[in-house]
Coordinates of all heavy atoms in Angstrom, one line a residue:
G435 N -6.4 45.8 29.0 CA -6.8 44.4 29.0 C -7.0 43.8 27.7 O -7.2 44.5 26.7
A436 N -6.8 42.4 27.6 CA -6.9 41.7 26.4 C -8.4 41.8 25.8 O -8.5 41.9 24.5 CB -6.6 40.2 26.6
E437 N -9.4 41.8 26.6 CA -10.7 41.9 26.1 C -11.0 43.2 25.4 O -11.7 43.2 24.4 CB -11.7 41.8 27.3 CG -11.8 40.4 28.0 CD -12.5 39.4 27.1 OE1 -13.1 39.8 26.1 OE2 -12.4 38.2 27.4
Y438 N -10.4 44.3 25.9 CA -10.6 45.6 25.2 C -10.0 45.5 23.8 O -10.6 46.0 22.8 CB -9.9 46.7 26.0 CG -10.0 48.0 25.4 CD1 -11.1 48.9 25.6 CD2 -8.9 48.5 24.6 CE1 -11.1 50.1 25.0 CE2 -9.0 49.7 24.0 CZ -10.1 50.6 24.2 OH -10.1 51.8 23.6
L439 N -8.8 44.9 23.7 CA -8.2 44.8 22.4 C -9.0 43.9 21.4 O -9.2 44.2 20.2 CB -6.8 44.2 22.5 CG -5.7 44.7 21.5 CD1 -5.5 46.2 21.5 CD2 -4.4 43.9 21.8
H440 N -9.5 42.8 22.0 CA -10.3 41.9 21.2 C -11.6 42.6 20.7 O -12.1 42.3 19.6 CB -10.7 40.7 22.0 CG -11.2 39.5 21.2 ND1 -12.6 39.3 21.2 CD2 -10.6 38.6 20.4 CE1 -12.8 38.2 20.4 NE2 -11.6 37.8 19.9
E441 N -12.2 43.5 21.5 CA -13.4 44.2 21.1 C -13.1 45.1 19.9 O -13.9 45.3 19.0 CB -13.9 45.0 22.3 CG -15.1 45.9 21.9 CD -16.3 45.1 21.4 OE1 -16.4 43.9 21.7 OE2 -17.1 45.8 20.7
K442 N -11.9 45.7 19.9 CA -11.4 46.5 18.8 C -11.4 45.7 17.5 O -11.8 46.1 16.4 CB -10.1 47.2 19.0 CG -10.1 48.3 20.0 CD -8.7 48.9 20.2 CE -8.1 49.5 18.9 NZ -8.8 50.8 18.5
L443 N -10.9 44.5 17.6 CA -10.8 43.6 16.5 C -12.2 43.2 16.1 O -12.5 43.1 14.9 CB -10.0 42.3 16.8 CG -9.9 41.3 15.7 CD1 -9.3 41.8 14.5 CD2 -9.2 40.0 16.2
R444 N -13.1 42.9 17.0 CA -14.5 42.5 16.7 C -15.2 43.6 15.9 O -15.9 43.3 14.9 CB -15.3 42.3 17.9 CG -16.7 41.6 17.7 CD -17.5 41.6 18.9 NE -17.9 42.9 19.3 CZ -18.8 43.6 18.7 NH1 -19.5 43.2 17.7 NH2 -19.1 44.9 19.2
Q445 N -14.9 44.9 16.2 CA -15.5 46.0 15.4 C -14.9 46.1 14.0 O -15.6 46.4 13.1 CB -15.3 47.3 16.2 CG -16.1 47.3 17.5 CD -15.8 48.6 18.3 OE1 -15.1 49.5 17.8 NE2 -16.2 48.6 19.6
A446 N -13.6 45.8 13.9 CA -12.9 45.9 12.6 C -13.1 44.7 11.7 O -13.3 44.8 10.5 CB -11.5 46.2 12.8
D447 N -13.1 43.5 12.4 CA -13.1 42.2 11.6 C -13.8 41.2 12.5 O -13.1 40.3 13.1 CB -11.6 41.8 11.3 CG -11.6 40.5 10.5 OD1 -12.6 40.0 10.1 OD2 -10.4 40.1 10.2
P448 N -15.1 41.2 12.5 CA -15.9 40.2 13.3 C -15.6 38.8 13.0 O -15.6 37.9 13.9 CB -17.3 40.6 13.1 CG -17.3 41.4 11.8 CD -16.0 42.1 11.7
V449 N -15.3 38.5 11.8 CA -15.0 37.1 11.4 C -13.7 36.6 12.1 O -13.7 35.5 12.7 CB -14.8 36.9 9.9 CG1 -14.4 35.5 9.5 CG2 -16.1 37.3 9.1
S450 N -12.7 37.3 12.0 CA -11.4 37.0 12.7 C -11.6 36.9 14.2 O -11.0 36.1 14.9 CB -10.3 37.9 12.3 OG -10.0 37.7 10.9
A451 N -12.3 37.9 14.7 CA -12.5 38.0 16.1 C -13.2 36.7 16.7 O -12.9 36.3 17.8 CB -13.4 39.2 16.5
S452 N -14.1 36.2 15.9 CA -14.8 35.0 16.3 C -13.9 33.7 16.3 O -14.2 32.7 16.9 CB -16.0 34.7 15.4 OG -15.6 34.3 14.1
L453 N -12.8 33.8 15.6 CA -11.9 32.7 15.5 C -10.6 32.8 16.4 O -10.0 31.8 16.6 CB -11.5 32.5 14.0 CG -12.6 32.2 13.0 CD1 -12.0 32.2 11.6 CD2 -13.3 30.9 13.3
I454 N -10.4 34.0 16.9 CA -9.1 34.2 17.7 C -9.5 34.4 19.1 O -10.3 35.3 19.4 CB -8.3 35.4 17.1 CG1 -8.0 35.2 15.6 CG2 -7.1 35.6 18.0 CD1 -7.3 36.4 15.0
H455 N -9.0 33.7 20.0 CA -9.3 33.8 21.4 C -8.8 35.2 21.9 O -7.7 35.6 21.6 CB -8.6 32.7 22.2 CG -9.2 32.6 23.6 ND1 -8.7 33.4 24.7 CD2 -10.1 31.8 24.2 CE1 -9.3 33.1 25.8 NE2 -10.2 32.2 25.5
P456 N -9.5 35.9 22.8 CA -9.1 37.2 23.3 C -7.7 37.1 24.0 O -7.0 38.1 23.9 CB -10.2 37.5 24.4 CG -11.4 36.8 23.9 CD -10.9 35.5 23.3
N457 N -7.4 36.0 24.6 CA -6.1 36.0 25.3 C -4.9 35.8 24.3 O -3.7 35.9 24.7 CB -6.0 34.8 26.3 CG -6.9 35.1 27.5 OD1 -7.1 36.2 27.8 ND2 -7.3 34.0 28.1
N458 N -5.2 35.5 23.0 CA -4.1 35.3 22.1 C -3.8 36.7 21.5 O -4.1 37.0 20.4 CB -4.5 34.4 20.9 CG -3.3 33.8 20.2 OD1 -2.3 34.5 20.0 ND2 -3.5 32.6 19.7
I459 N -3.1 37.5 22.3 CA -2.8 38.9 22.0 C -2.0 39.1 20.7 O -2.3 40.0 19.9 CB -2.1 39.6 23.2 CG1 -3.1 39.6 24.4 CG2 -1.7 41.0 22.8 CD1 -2.5 40.2 25.6
V460 N -1.1 38.2 20.5 CA -0.2 38.3 19.3 C -1.0 38.2 18.0 O -0.9 39.0 17.1 CB 0.9 37.2 19.3 CG1 1.6 37.2 18.0 CG2 1.9 37.4 20.4
R461 N -2.0 37.2 18.0 CA -2.8 37.1 16.8 C -3.8 38.2 16.6 O -4.2 38.6 15.6 CB -3.5 35.7 16.7 CG -2.4 34.6 16.4 CD -3.1 33.3 16.4 NE -2.0 32.2 16.1 CZ -2.1 31.0 16.6 NH1 -3.1 30.6 17.3 NH2 -1.1 30.1 16.3
V462 N -4.4 38.6 17.8 CA -5.3 39.8 17.8 C -4.6 41.0 17.2 O -5.2 41.7 16.3 CB -5.8 40.1 19.2 CG1 -6.6 41.4 19.2 CG2 -6.7 38.9 19.7
I463 N -3.4 41.3 17.7 CA -2.7 42.5 17.2 C -2.3 42.3 15.7 O -2.4 43.3 14.9 CB -1.4 42.7 18.0 CG1 -1.8 43.1 19.4 CG2 -0.5 43.7 17.4 CD1 -0.6 43.3 20.4
R464 N -2.0 41.1 15.3 CA -1.6 40.9 13.9 C -2.9 41.2 13.0 O -2.7 41.8 11.9 CB -1.1 39.5 13.6 CG -0.8 39.1 12.2 CD 0.1 40.1 11.5 NE 0.4 39.8 10.1 CZ 0.9 40.6 9.2 NH1 1.2 41.9 9.6 NH2 1.1 40.3 8.0
A465 N -4.0 40.7 13.4 CA -5.2 40.9 12.6 C -5.6 42.4 12.6 O -6.0 43.0 11.6 CB -6.4 40.2 13.3
L466 N -5.4 43.1 13.7 CA -5.6 44.6 13.8 C -4.6 45.3 12.9 O -4.9 46.3 12.2 CB -5.5 45.1 15.2 CG -6.7 44.8 16.1 CD1 -6.3 45.1 17.6 CD2 -7.9 45.6 15.7
E467 N -3.4 44.8 12.9 CA -2.3 45.4 12.1 C -2.6 45.3 10.6 O -2.5 46.3 9.8 CB -1.0 44.7 12.4 CG 0.2 45.3 11.6 CD 1.5 44.5 11.8 OE1 1.4 43.3 12.2 OE2 2.6 45.0 11.6
V468 N -3.1 44.1 10.2 CA -3.4 44.0 8.7 C -4.6 44.9 8.4 O -4.5 45.5 7.3 CB -3.8 42.5 8.5 CG1 -4.4 42.4 7.1 CG2 -2.6 41.6 8.6
F469 N -5.6 45.0 9.2 CA -6.7 45.9 9.0 C -6.2 47.4 8.9 O -6.6 48.2 8.1 CB -7.8 45.8 10.0 CG -9.0 46.6 9.7 CD1 -10.0 46.1 8.8 CD2 -9.2 47.8 10.3 CE1 -11.1 46.9 8.5 CE2 -10.3 48.6 10.0 CZ -11.3 48.1 9.1

Side-chain angles (χ1 to χ4, degrees):
E437 289 289 349
Y438 178 85
L439 209 63
H440 192 261
E441 176 60 22
K442 284 180 66 69
L443 177 60
R444 191 190 66 77
Q445 293 175 10
D447 182 1
V449 173
S450 293
S452 69
L453 299 175
I454 302 175
H455 192 276
N457 288 336
N458 198 329
I459 295 175
V460 171
R461 287 179 184 151
V462 170
I463 290 177
R464 176 54 181 164
L466 284 169
E467 180 186 23
V468 170
F469 186 81

